[in-house]
Amino acid sequence: MKQIYFDYNATTPVDKRIVDAVIPYFLESFGNPSNSNSPHGREANRAFKKALRTVADYFSVESSDDIILTSGATESNNLLLHSIVDASEQPCRIITTKIEHDSILKTLEAFGDRVVVDFVENDANGLVDLADLERKIRDDTALITIMGANNEIGTIQPIAEIAEIAHRHNVPFHSDATQLIPHQRINLAETEIDYLSLSGHKIYAPKGVGLLICRNDRALSRIRPQIMGGGQQNGYRSGTINVPGAVEIAEAIKLLDAEMEQETAHKQALYDAFFAVLDQQKIPYHLNGDPVNRINGNISIAIDGLTSIRLLAMLPEYSISTGSACSTGKKSHVLAALDCPDSIVSGTIRIGFGRFSEQKEIETLANKIADIYRSVHS
Ligand code: PMP
């Protein structure tokens, strides 16, 4: 049975162009970049610096030294939250949403009494209420952290506006932009966002590499190292530097930059094709998330009268998630925060697609879903 991949929000396939670009950094330029006494070390260091420069240029970061290479968005989120809490008078307050990724929510929970968490209200599509955000900011608010786009329902938050509100009140703003990066360019010089987290494996690079991007030296100065050791990365994150990982992210960013418009159009064509099939066959469904402000490689949908477990059991060749892959088996905290009725929560599947997905594949999937709907309701 041919397996068909529709789980791009969980992880993307690796782009072969990235693999090809990184191979020399395993086989030839494999030195330890901290060893400046050896030609191999200096060469690896040059590769690392060049990769960070590519990232800094793309996001318009003041200096490439303001970027910290991590093992992924989970670590980036942890590093930022621990830094802010360590550097604040305690208890401090942090504003966030109820629909953040667990790497934000569980980390905040683990602070216990050290942090008071204020949750901003969101509407039924997951969009944050900006007036409520402004009301919740207080003198002891140490950080606002709100994701760029939600990994389950795809809703995009107005992070540029949120950053402006945060700065009006002198509060730093962090956005977990892991899911937004493949969809939208972000310019840190033109917005007031202080920190971005991202993971390589959502942008066609391998797993286990990510970034915490600080907007400028001032933002960087709030970072408190959490991993101690040899003092690599200017002491902000010890451990031998993952040069191939940095190269992979830089290559991924270059491809995004070159292909963003055509890729967005490609995903939109697939998104439209899926709904054209369902609408033509009058299949009743509920789309989760904001219908307009959303990443278009995500369809979070419940089909009337079908549980996700039943539907997925009838689509064995497809990799599709119920809710989000990171929290399979648990009731989705995101759907709970949207006040979805139980039938939507138990019926929701997440179809994620992107660079290598094909229109005929998604049309076939939509037709199969329509057939299943009819067989169950006949
Ligand atoms: N934040 C968001 C929004 C995500 O979608 C993910 C991955 N599901 C993460 C953080 C964590 O990324 P990683 O597992 O690569 O650390």
Side-chain angles (χ1 to χ4, degrees):
M1 186 165 55
K2 190 181 172 226
Q3 296 175 350
I4 301 161
Y5 192 72
F6 276 123
D7 207 6
Y8 275 62
N9 304 114
T11 194
T12 52
V14 178
D15 193 309
K16 187 169 179 308
R17 292 171 292 181
I18 299 178
V19 178
D20 291 343
V22 79
I23 284 175
Y25 297 92
F26 290 115
L27 301 181
E28 292 145 31
S29 309
F30 54 79
N32 185 328
S34 303
N35 190 354
S36 55
N37 294 324
S38 86
H40 284 86
R42 285 194 295 274
E43 192 180 337
N45 193 42
R46 274 196 297 277
F48 178 59
K49 289 268 148 56
K50 191 171 159 208
L52 290 190
R53 189 69 259 157
T54 301
V55 177
D57 288 347
Y58 179 75
F59 289 99
S60 296
V61 179
E62 207 172 76
S63 154
S64 53
D65 286 341
D66 297 331
I67 300 170
I68 303 170
L69 186 71
T70 65
S71 62
T74 298
E75 184 188 327
S76 303
N77 289 342
N78 270 265
L79 173 57
L80 191 265
L81 292 177
H82 277 274
S83 296
I84 295 292
V85 174
D86 287 357
S88 304
E89 283 192 23
Q90 290 173 25
C92 63
R93 301 183 86 97
I94 292 182
I95 299 180
T96 190
T97 73
K98 289 189 178 146
I99 63 170
E100 296 300 303
H101 188 263
D102 274 345
S103 53
I104 294 285
L105 294 177
K106 299 280 181 203
T107 308
L108 288 174
E109 205 178 295
F111 286 121
D113 295 345
R114 298 170 69 197
V115 175
V116 178
V117 182
D118 292 312
F119 290 103
V120 194
E121 299 292 329
N122 54 261
D123 70 11
N125 295 330
L127 263 187
V128 296
D129 176 340
L130 297 181
D132 185 56
L133 170 69
E134 193 141 20
R135 273 195 300 276
K136 291 220 159 96
I137 300 175
R138 299 180 13 159
D139 288 349
D140 52 351
T141 301
L143 179 75
I144 299 172
T145 175
I146 294 180
M147 69 201 323
N150 186 272
N151 47 306
E152 290 189 36
I153 57 169
T155 298
I156 296 177
Q157 306 292 358
I159 53 173
E161 275 171 84
I162 295 172
E164 262 180 56
I165 295 173
H167 278 203
R168 222 185 293 138
H169 296 269
N170 289 319
V171 179
F173 174 59
H174 165 250
S175 185
D176 172 358
T178 309
Q179 297 283 346
L180 185 59
I181 301 289
H183 183 81
Q184 192 175 293
R185 289 193 167 80
I186 302 177
N187 185 318
L188 295 184
E190 286 172 5
T191 61
E192 298 186 42
I193 301 162
D194 296 294
Y195 304 98
L196 289 177
S197 297
L198 65 97
S199 256
H201 71 105
K202 312 284 184 180
I203 50 173
Y204 308 93
K207 295 161 191 63
V209 60
L211 300 173
L212 177 65
I213 302 178
C214 307
R215 167 196 175 77
N216 52 25
D217 291 356
R218 176 151 185 257
L220 181 73
S221 71
R222 294 192 193 94
I223 301 300
R224 302 285 180 271
Q226 303 297 318
I227 299 180
M228 315 302 167
Q232 290 89 346
Q233 299 202 56
N234 302 318
Y236 288 106
R237 202 268 193 182
S238 283
T240 301
I241 293 172
N242 178 1
V243 178
V247 171
E248 287 153 8
I249 289 224
E251 290 300 316
I253 294 286
K254 278 194 225 164
L255 292 174
L256 281 187
D257 193 20
E259 297 173 3
M260 179 76 73
E261 283 68 27
Q262 88 189 49
E263 212 161 295
T264 302
H266 171 64
K267 285 186 282 190
Q268 193 60 43
L270 268 63
Y271 185 93
D272 293 343
F274 179 85
F275 285 107
V277 172
L278 291 195
D279 290 340
Q280 208 177 23
Q281 302 189 36
K282 300 197 167 41
I283 306 299
Y285 59 81
H286 172 83
L287 175 71
N288 297 304
D290 196 276
V292 180
N293 301 304
R294 64 181 302 121
I295 47 172
N296 61 1
N298 166 291
I299 295 173
S300 171
I301 193 171
I303 308 291
D304 266 22
L306 278 173
T307 64
S308 54
I309 305 289
R310 186 164 185 198
L311 188 53
L312 293 191
M314 294 170 95
L315 295 166
E317 67 274 44
Y318 289 94
S319 285
I320 294 173
S321 287
T322 58
S324 85
C326 331
S327 55
T328 305
K330 286 187 287 176
K331 190 174 163 186
S332 158
H333 69 274
V334 175
L335 297 178
L338 306 186
D339 284 333
C340 283
D342 281 352
S343 59
I344 302 285
V345 175
S346 59
T348 291
I349 58 168
R350 181 184 67 177
I351 302 164
F353 45 95
R355 188 172 292 170
F356 305 113
S357 310
E358 291 175 21
Q359 183 160 335
K360 65 175 184 319
E361 290 174 336
I362 206 162
E363 282 169 351
T364 305
L365 171 64
N367 275 304
K368 286 190 179 180
I369 291 175
D371 288 347
I372 294 169
Y373 171 82
R374 275 189 297 270
S375 72
V376 166
H377 288 83
S378 60

